[in-house]
Amino acid sequence: MIRGWYTGASGMNVQQQRLDTIANNLANVDTAGFKKDVTSVKSFSELLLRRQDADGVYENIFGSADAAPIIGKLGTGCETNENFIDFTEGSLRLTDTPTDFALHGKGFFVIMTPEGERYTRNGNFMLGKEGILETKDGYPVLGENGYIYLEDDKFKVNEDGIIVTKDNEVVDRFRCVRFDNERYLKKIGNSMYLDNDISGPAHIAEGDERPQFIQNYMETSNVNVVNEMVRMIEVNRAYEANQKTIQSEDAMMNTLWNRVASVQR
């Protein structure tokens, strides 16, 4: 019975973590370039139950049979296996703003922050006071030659990320990076990511690895509200089921204690 408490409690913990992930996804459904989190769950090793008495094989007129057959498997709970980022591309929304960009394909813009280089899929940029292309938070966007300086918003960007002025002068080319295991990048807020040992370091995206740059468009969140709501209902039902399991185990234990106490009197 004690095992039943731990099994139910582990299930409740897992469902609470799944609910937190879903809530965060729904909160960012309108955040440009946001990528949803996915929680995967794994079960603890199951116990194989056998009868303890009459172990061995007996013979009869029909042949032989196992005297200690397998009763079945007993689950011992579950735990969160991992939380990872789903980088499925979101839909593109037309903004008709020259400083808005979307990436079609895998890849990231490079942003310079006070803590160093960070990476994002959110191409909702603007021109700063000094003519530097920046994020909405004021962090410069990096090109292959450093900061991207523009005189005005009368510029064009081709599919390769090359920035050209209205006089057809090349300004710079967007710096774009990829990762070996991008799903394990660390979210640091504002739709930006930080690399780590699991994701691997950033490397410049060239050739077939380089995504297509689309000007005047913005990539929306890849969160599907309907799917997330369905998952939320599923999580709530699973949480309630584990809760009832613990309540049933508690009632059984209470009955056992009361009967043992009455016999001892």
Side-chain angles (χ1 to χ4, degrees), residues 49-69:
L49 302 182
R50 279 179 173 272
R51 281 218 317 262
Q52 292 183 349
D53 57 338
D55 192 10
V57 177
Y58 66 89
E59 296 182 356
N60 54 34
I61 58 175
F62 300 106
S64 62
D66 187 358

Side-chain angles (χ1 to χ4, degrees), residues 143-183:
E144 294 182 342
N145 300 320
Y147 295 170
I148 300 174
Y149 291 91
L150 298 166
E151 295 181 357
D152 51 41
D153 60 359
K154 309 299 181 182
F155 65 92
K156 297 294 182 181
V157 176
N158 66 11
E159 295 182 354
D160 194 44
I162 298 176
I163 306 168
V164 180
T165 66
K166 58 184 177 182
D167 297 324
N168 291 325
E169 295 181 358
V170 176
V171 177
D172 203 344
R173 182 172 180 250
F174 275 106
R175 186 178 174 191
C176 184
V177 298
R178 293 279 302 274
F179 299 89
D180 293 334
N181 296 300
E182 60 185 18
R183 62 186 286 180

